[in-house]
């Protein structure tokens, strides 16, 4: 319950200290504080402040002692507001003013909104963070604050540069402009001890220029998520008092200067997500105060220097996502304070015996996909009680054998990830009873046997997860799940039906049971009234019955995969309530009826797969209004009428699969709306969704190069256009050439007429082109010959004519002629016609000229031989009967013609 500020406050005229932070007020500040002329400290920072952790996947990956005010945004719900600051004018003794979270958006609309603050000549600390202040920094109104030591205006909407005039505030020691829209550069402020300008993406910082002059007092510097671009200058080391330096996401280039090791007071160095190259400084031992070192996602190479083992203060070391090579120095494990060691996603080598790890004091360990092999050695040795890690992550670490018995003693273990190894045997039941375990990932191993009927995880700071996918587990699905937010049992050999209880688990967000031998109906227990289910994947089983209407209660559902089952009936209307749906897979079932109209409600839908059912009727026009759609798969149904024009206006669409239907009419002419298909995908991204620590990817069946391919992982470059096996008529659109980013084009088995457009030669990404079984006429365009990536070509069974284009690469495609069979007027095919020199010709500009010269030379040689051979008898024939002469030359003509045709 919120109340107004008490009016009696104005009577406390001798009050010197007032702290109303975290109070539950909802009011507008006007004159309530004007009479408090003795006030020296005023804190009105708003209640209900919450940390925004939306950009942090697992909070444990951040050092526990960091100043989170410099890393995270505080969000206020602004129950206090002030239309102006005139009520401050009488508070001339005020030294500390904290208005964090007070809504000053209306006040800041005035150009001189901060003028009342200028009268507070004794003010030492001014905190205006998260106040919705917009516009420029009001330096003209703050310049009179000659005692000001701290200015905090973080998390506002400031849009100016940092004015050079701010350097006149000579007493200023701490300046925080984090989380604004500032641009320009940082002025020289040698008086500063602490500076944070992070999360101002338009701000440009030239570190070389910035540190060309000394910053003798600077101890704290955070420039994360600004524009740097250049290198870290060696002159940074001149700021000898610097203890904290963070520059994440700044596109910093070059190597880390060796001079940085001169910063003996440096305790925190964080340079994540940059373009830093080169090696780690060799003399790391000089950083005697270093506690936190984080260089995530750079391009560092070379070895991890042994000198790092001589930094006894080191507590946190994160080198993940680099190109580091060599072995991990085992001496790192002996550092007395090191608790966090992440080296995943590198190119390291060598073995890391588990017995060595047991002797360390590490709490957080991640070696996944680092190149290291974790060796299960000396399993009979006694357990070291001091080894109590919180996180063990050993993905793709070549682990073999069974899960070590001593894991049962890891009472502090919260996250255990052993995915993609060669572990075998049964999963021990005690693993599901560890007192702190909340995340268990044993996917992609060789585990066999059954799992217990009851799985209980422990609540923690992140979603609880059980991932046992892609093993050889069998038996029934567990009936009791407690504190499980995410469960993935896909691609095993589980049998039986889906337990009713699994749909009743409180707080469950993701259920993946695909690729098993489950039968029976979808339980009616799914999607209770209070559910938060986001992912339901039951693909590739033997489920029967219909789609339950209660699935419409899953209003948080993002991913619904029911493909490759034996489901029937129609899609219930109740699903229209699931408006957040982004993936809908109903392929490979026995659904029937017209196109499901509920799909019109799925405005965020990205992947729609209805292939392999019994749907019929027209494809509705509203498909063209699903602007987020990336994959449209309607193949192998009985859809008829024409392809809606709107489909060709979906800018994000990367794959069209309409094959094996009864579609008629022409292919829509205007294809220039298919923006995604017009550009080559330079970045490789996987289509899927990451929710609650679990990635759920899209899957797709496509026909390319004449064969059916099942893609268990769909990438952004899996683009294509397939409308084959329909009854389409008309010409191939000239604008087909605009789709230069697609590797697959299949228009086969239709009734298309006209010529093959020369613009297909502009489709430079084509790997597979199938135009077979149509009624295409004319010649094969010479523009097809230079398509270097083309590996599959099928133009068979048309009415093409003329010669086949020649090109060194094109000549290697189907030399047996099978790509052209069924074109009786096409030269050089097994069932085509022979073409003489007088026949039609299609010759490329350069290569074919060479072939022509060779043919002319061949004919000249043949004729010169005949001239030489018959010269002796020519005079004799000239003297004999005329009929004999005619017969002789007719025979010669026939022989020459045969020879020439053979050569051609």
């Amino acid at each position: 319950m919120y109340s107004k500020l008490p009016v009696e406050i104005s009577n406390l005229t001798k009050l010197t200290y007032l702290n109303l932070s975290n109070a539950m007020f909802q009011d507008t500040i006007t004159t309530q504080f004007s009479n408090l002329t003795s006030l020296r400290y005023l804190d009105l920072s708003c209640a209900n402040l919450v940390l925004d952790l939306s950009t942090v996947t697992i909070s444990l990956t951040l050092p526990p002692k960091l100043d989170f005010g410099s890393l995270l945004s505080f969000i206020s719900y602004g129950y206090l507001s002030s239309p102006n600051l005139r009520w401050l004018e009488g508070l001339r003794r005020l030294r500390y003013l904290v208005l964090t979270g007070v809504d000053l958006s209306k006040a800041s609309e005035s150009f001189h909104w901060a003028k009342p603050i200028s009268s507070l000549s004794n003010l030492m600390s001014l905190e205006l963070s998260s106040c919705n202040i917009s516009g420029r920094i009001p330096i003209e109104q703050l310049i009179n604050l000659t005692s000001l030591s701290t200015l905090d205006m973080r998390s506002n909407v400031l849009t100016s540069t940092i004015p050079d005039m701010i350097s006149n505030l000579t007493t200023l020691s701490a300046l925080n402009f984090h989380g604004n829209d500032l641009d320009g550069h940082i002025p020289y402020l040698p008086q500063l001890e602490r500076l944070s300008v992070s999360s101002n993406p338009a701000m440009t910082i030239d570190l070389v220029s910035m540190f060309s002059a000394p910053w003798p007092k600077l101890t704290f510097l955070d420039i994360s998520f600004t524009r740097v671009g250049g290198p870290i200058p060696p002159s940074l080391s001149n700021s000898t008092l610097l203890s904290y330096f963070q520059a994440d996401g700044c596109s910093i280039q070059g190597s880390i200067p060796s001079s940085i090791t001169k910063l003996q007071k440096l305790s925190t160095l964080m340079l994540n997500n940059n373009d830093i190259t080169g090696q780690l400084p060799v003399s790391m031992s000089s950083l005697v105060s270093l506690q936190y070192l984080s260089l995530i996602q750079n391009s560092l190479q070379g070895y991890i220097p042994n000198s790092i083992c001589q930094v006894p203060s080191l507590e946190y070391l994160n080198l993940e996502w680099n190109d580091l090579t060599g072995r991990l120095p085992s001496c790192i494990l002996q550092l007395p304070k090191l608790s966090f060691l992440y080296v995943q996603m590198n190119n390291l080598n060598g073995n890391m015996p588990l017995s060595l790890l047991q002797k360390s004091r590490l709490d957080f360990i991640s070696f996944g996909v680092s190149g290291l092999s974790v060796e299960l050695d000396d399993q009979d040795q006694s357990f070291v009680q001091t080894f109590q890690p919180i996180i063990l992550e050993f993905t793709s670490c070549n682990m073999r054998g069974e899960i070590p018995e001593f894991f049962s003693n890891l009472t502090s273990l919260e996250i255990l990830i052993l995915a993609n190894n060669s572990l075998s045997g049964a999963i021990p039941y005690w693993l599901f009873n560890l007192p702190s375990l909340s995340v268990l990932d044993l996917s992609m191993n060789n585990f066999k046997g059954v799992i217990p009927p009851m799985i209980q995880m422990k609540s923690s700071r992140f979603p609880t997860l059980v991932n046992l996918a892609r093993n050889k587990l069998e038996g029934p699905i567990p009936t009791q799940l407690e504190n499980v937010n995410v469960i993935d049992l896909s691609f095993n050999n589980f049998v039986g039906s889906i337990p009713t209880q699994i749909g009743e688990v409180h707080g469950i967000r993701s259920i993946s049971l695909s690729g098993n031998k489950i039968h029976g109906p979808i339980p009616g227990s799914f999607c209770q009234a209070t559910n938060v289910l986001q992912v339901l994947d039951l693909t590739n089983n033997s489920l029967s019955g219909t789609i339950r209407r209660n699935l419409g209660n899953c209003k948080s559902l993002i991913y619904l995969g029911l493909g490759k089952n034996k489901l029937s009936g129609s899609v219930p209307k109740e699903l229209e309530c699931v408006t957040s749906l982004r993936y809908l897979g109903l392929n490979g079932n026995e659904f029937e009826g017209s196109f499901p109209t509920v799909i019109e409600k799925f405005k965020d839908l990205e992947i729609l797969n209805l292939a392999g059912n019994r749907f019929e009727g027209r494809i509705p026009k509203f498909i063209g209004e699903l602007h987020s759609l990336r994959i449209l798969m309607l193949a192998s149904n009985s859809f008829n009428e024409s392809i809606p024009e709107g489909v060709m206006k979906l800018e994000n669409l990367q794959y069209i699969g309409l094959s094996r239907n009864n579609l008629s009419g022409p292919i829509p002419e205007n294809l220039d709306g298919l923006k995604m298909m017009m550009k080559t995908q330079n970045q490789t991204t996987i289509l899927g969704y990451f929710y609650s620590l679990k990635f759920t990817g899209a899957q797709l069946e496509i026909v390319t190069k004449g064969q059916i391919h099942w893609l268990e992982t769909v990438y952004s470059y899996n683009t294509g256009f397939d409308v084959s096996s329909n009854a389409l008529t008309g010409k191939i659109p000239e604008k087909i050439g605009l789709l230069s980013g697609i590797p697959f084009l299949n228009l086969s088995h239709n009734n298309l007429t006209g010529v093959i457009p020369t613009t297909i030669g502009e489709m430079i990404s084509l790997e597979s082109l199938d135009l077979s079984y149509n009624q295409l006429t004319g010649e094969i365009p010479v523009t097809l010959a230079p398509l270097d990536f083309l590996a599959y070509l099928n133009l068979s069974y048309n009415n093409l004519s003329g010669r086949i284009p020649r090109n060194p690469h094109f000549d290697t495609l189907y030399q047996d002629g099978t790509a052209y069979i069924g074109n009786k007027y096409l030269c050089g095919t097994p069932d085509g016609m022979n073409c003489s020199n007088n026949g039609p010709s299609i010759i490329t500009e350069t290569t074919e000229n060479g072939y022509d010269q060779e043919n002319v030379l061949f004919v000249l040689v043949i004729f010169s031989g005949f001239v030489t051979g018959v010269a002796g008898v020519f005079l004799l024939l000239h003297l004999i009967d005329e009929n004999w002469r005619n017969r002789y030359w007719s025979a010669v003509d026939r022989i020459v013609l045969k020879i020439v045709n053979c050569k051609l």
Side-chain angles (χ1 to χ4, degrees), residues 615-847:
F615 291 116
E616 58 186 9
R618 54 188 285 273
I619 300 173
K621 292 182 179 180
F622 67 69
I623 285 290
E625 299 172 6
L626 303 179
H627 300 294
S628 298
L629 205 60
R630 298 193 63 170
I631 293 178
L632 176 62
M633 280 294 293
L634 307 179
S636 300
N637 281 284
S638 297
F639 292 118
N640 55 28
E641 298 190 28
S642 60
I643 300 173
E645 294 275 351
V647 172
M648 307 306 168
K649 298 178 181 178
L650 295 173
E651 295 187 357
N652 295 306
L653 199 61
Q654 70 179 64
Y655 195 94
I656 296 176
L658 305 179
S659 63
R660 299 183 295 281
N661 279 285
N662 298 319
L663 298 172
S664 58
I667 299 172
E669 181 69 30
N670 293 322
L671 305 178
D672 43 9
L674 299 172
K675 303 297 185 184
M676 185 67 74
M677 297 187 184
M678 294 181 185
K679 53 188 178 182
T680 303
Q681 300 299 313
N682 295 322
Q683 293 184 338
T684 300
T685 56
I686 300 176
L687 269 66
Y689 311 98
F690 190 85
Y691 295 104
S692 306
L693 303 183
K694 171 69 170 57
F695 180 81
T696 304
Q699 299 178 338
L700 184 64
E701 182 180 275
I702 64 174
V703 178
T704 175
K705 299 180 181 179
Q707 297 180 339
I708 297 176
H709 296 271
W710 175 252
L711 304 179
E712 290 192 0
T713 303
V714 181
Y715 295 90
S716 54
Y717 59 74
N718 292 132
T719 56
F721 192 108
D722 187 356
V723 294
S724 61
S725 300
N726 281 286
L728 298 173
T729 56
K731 297 180 179 181
I732 300 175
E734 285 288 331
K735 290 186 178 181
I736 198 77
L738 294 176
L739 310 183
S740 58
I742 66 172
F744 313 122
L745 176 62
N746 192 345
L747 310 180
S748 65
H749 293 85
N750 280 289
N751 296 315
L752 299 174
T753 56
V755 299
I756 300 174
T758 59
T759 54
I760 291 184
E762 299 170 10
M763 302 174 71
I764 56 176
S765 300
L766 267 188
E767 299 175 17
S768 176
L769 174 62
D770 193 346
L771 305 179
S772 62
Y773 290 93
N774 279 288
Q775 300 175 29
L776 301 172
T777 57
E779 302 174 346
I780 301 174
V782 296
T783 54
L784 299 188
L787 292 174
D788 293 334
F789 293 108
L790 194 63
Y792 177 86
L793 176 67
N794 194 347
L795 304 178
S796 62
Y797 297 101
N798 280 285
N799 295 315
L800 301 173
S801 58
R803 290 200 183 106
I804 299 170
R806 307 295 298 274
N807 177 282
H809 169 67
F810 204 70
D811 290 350
T812 63
L813 296 176
Y814 304 98
Q815 294 179 344
D816 59 359
T818 54
Y820 313 107
I821 198 169
N823 291 279
K824 62 182 180 179
Y825 299 113
L826 198 61
C827 299
T829 62
D831 59 347
M833 63 179 292
N834 292 326
C835 298
S836 66
N837 281 336
N838 297 325
S841 62
I842 313 168
I843 303 172
T844 57
E845 292 182 1
T846 58
T847 307

Side-chain angles (χ1 to χ4, degrees), residues 225-336:
F225 306 107
T226 60
R227 297 178 184 176
V228 175
I232 298 173
S235 55
L236 176 69
S237 61
N238 294 332
S239 301
T240 55
L241 298 181
L242 191 64
S243 64
Y244 185 105
F245 180 37
Q246 184 170 6
D248 297 341
C250 293
S251 302
I252 294 173
Q253 299 173 342
S255 59
I256 300 173
S258 59
S259 61
I260 204 169
T261 58
K262 296 178 182 179
L263 296 172
Q264 296 189 359
K265 294 186 179 296
L266 190 65
S267 63
T268 298
L269 178 60
M270 305 183 73
L271 303 174
N272 305 315
N273 303 302
N274 284 290
D275 300 316
I276 299 173
T277 56
Q279 300 183 352
L280 290 168
V282 175
S283 54
M284 297 288 290
S285 56
S286 300
L287 295 169
V288 293
S289 302
L290 191 64
Q291 294 177 314
Y292 307 109
L293 177 59
S294 186
L295 303 172
I296 302 171
Q297 202 161 348
N298 282 283
S299 300
L300 292 167
Q301 298 175 331
Y303 298 165
I304 300 173
N306 286 323
S307 61
I308 202 169
C309 301
Q310 300 172 33
V311 186
S313 57
L314 194 63
E315 301 177 19
Y316 178 101
L317 178 59
N318 196 333
L319 303 175
E320 61 182 303
W321 289 90
N322 280 284
D323 297 317
L324 296 170
T325 56
R327 294 176 175 271
L328 178 69
S330 58
C331 57
I332 286 181
L333 304 179
Q334 300 171 13
L335 287 169

Side-chain angles (χ1 to χ4, degrees), residues 44 104 155 225 228 258 443 525 565 586 684 709 843 862 880:
L44 299 178
L104 299 179
S155 302
F225 306 107
V228 175
S258 59
S443 59
S525 58
N565 280 286
L586 305 180
T684 300
H709 296 271
I843 303 172
I862 292 296
I880 62 177

Side-chain angles (χ1 to χ4, degrees), residues 536-609:
L536 179 59
D537 189 1
L538 307 178
T539 307
N540 198 14
N541 282 287
S542 298
L543 298 174
S544 56
T546 60
I547 299 178
R548 297 275 188 169
R549 295 181 178 178
N550 53 287
L551 291 185
N553 295 328
C554 286
K555 294 182 172 63
S556 301
L557 204 61
I558 302 293
Y559 186 108
L560 178 59
L562 303 177
K564 292 193 170 185
N565 280 286
K566 299 178 181 178
L567 299 170
S568 57
S570 59
V571 179
K573 185 178 184 298
E574 285 76 7
L575 276 184
E576 67 182 9
C577 298
V578 191
T579 55
S580 58
L581 203 63
R582 298 172 67 181
Y583 177 99
L584 178 60
L586 305 180
N587 55 296
N589 282 285
E590 299 172 7
F591 294 116
E592 55 189 12
S594 58
F595 194 100
T597 56
V598 296
I599 293 175
E600 185 176 7
K601 303 293 184 179
F602 306 152
K603 298 300 183 182
D604 296 326
L605 195 65
E606 295 179 349
I607 300 174
L608 175 61
N609 194 344

Side-chain angles (χ1 to χ4, degrees), residues 17-256:
Y17 184 100
L18 178 59
N19 188 340
L20 297 178
S21 63
N22 300 313
M24 307 297 278
F25 290 123
Q26 183 174 4
D27 203 351
T28 299
I29 302 172
T30 53
T31 60
Q32 294 96 324
F33 304 105
S34 300
N35 296 329
L36 306 183
T37 56
S38 299
L39 200 63
R40 297 187 179 185
Y41 183 102
L42 175 60
D43 188 345
L44 299 178
S45 55
C46 227
N48 292 337
L49 292 177
V50 295
L51 284 174
D52 179 7
L53 295 174
S54 62
T55 59
V56 182
T57 304
I58 301 177
S59 59
L60 281 177
T61 62
L62 292 174
K65 293 184 180 180
L66 284 179
D67 178 1
F68 283 103
S70 68
L71 291 173
L72 306 175
S73 298
F74 286 95
I75 301 174
S76 169
Y77 289 106
Y79 296 106
L80 287 177
S81 63
S82 180
N84 57 66
L85 296 178
R86 286 195 295 271
W87 53 273
L88 286 171
E89 291 176 345
L91 311 180
R92 298 186 181 277
R93 295 186 181 183
L94 200 65
R95 293 186 180 182
Y96 301 92
L97 176 59
V98 183
L99 299 181
T100 299
V102 176
D103 188 355
L104 299 179
S105 58
K106 185 173 181 58
S108 64
E109 291 176 1
S110 170
F111 185 80
H112 299 291
W113 67 271
K115 187 175 181 181
I117 297 176
S118 65
S119 64
L120 308 178
S121 58
N122 293 315
L123 198 64
M124 298 174 61
S125 179
L126 176 60
E127 297 187 27
L128 300 175
S129 62
S130 303
C131 293
N132 293 322
I133 299 170
S134 59
R136 62 188 188 88
I137 298 170
I139 186 60
E140 295 86 355
Q141 294 133 57
L142 302 178
I143 202 66
N144 294 330
L145 303 178
T146 56
S147 299
L148 192 66
S149 174
T150 299
L151 176 59
D152 184 353
M153 298 188 72
R154 68 181 185 267
S155 302
N156 283 291
V157 201
L158 298 171
T159 53
S160 66
T161 61
I162 300 177
D164 292 338
M165 193 185 300
I166 205 168
S167 62
N168 295 331
L169 294 172
T170 55
T171 58
L172 193 66
S173 63
L175 183 62
N176 194 337
F177 286 129
H178 160 84
N180 282 279
D181 292 322
L182 297 175
D183 54 23
H185 66 287
I186 298 175
Y188 182 48
L189 303 170
Q191 71 272 37
L192 285 187
E193 297 177 14
R194 299 175 63 87
L195 173 61
S196 176
V197 292
S198 56
S199 298
N200 285 279
M203 178 171 281
T204 302
I205 300 175
D206 183 349
L207 289 176
V208 175
S209 174
M210 179 177 174
F211 287 98
S212 61
W215 292 64
K217 298 182 179 181
L218 193 64
T219 63
F220 181 102
L221 177 61
D222 187 357
I223 58 173
S224 298
F225 306 107
T226 60
R227 297 178 184 176
V228 175
I232 298 173
S235 55
L236 176 69
S237 61
N238 294 332
S239 301
T240 55
L241 298 181
L242 191 64
S243 64
Y244 185 105
F245 180 37
Q246 184 170 6
D248 297 341
C250 293
S251 302
I252 294 173
Q253 299 173 342
S255 59
I256 300 173

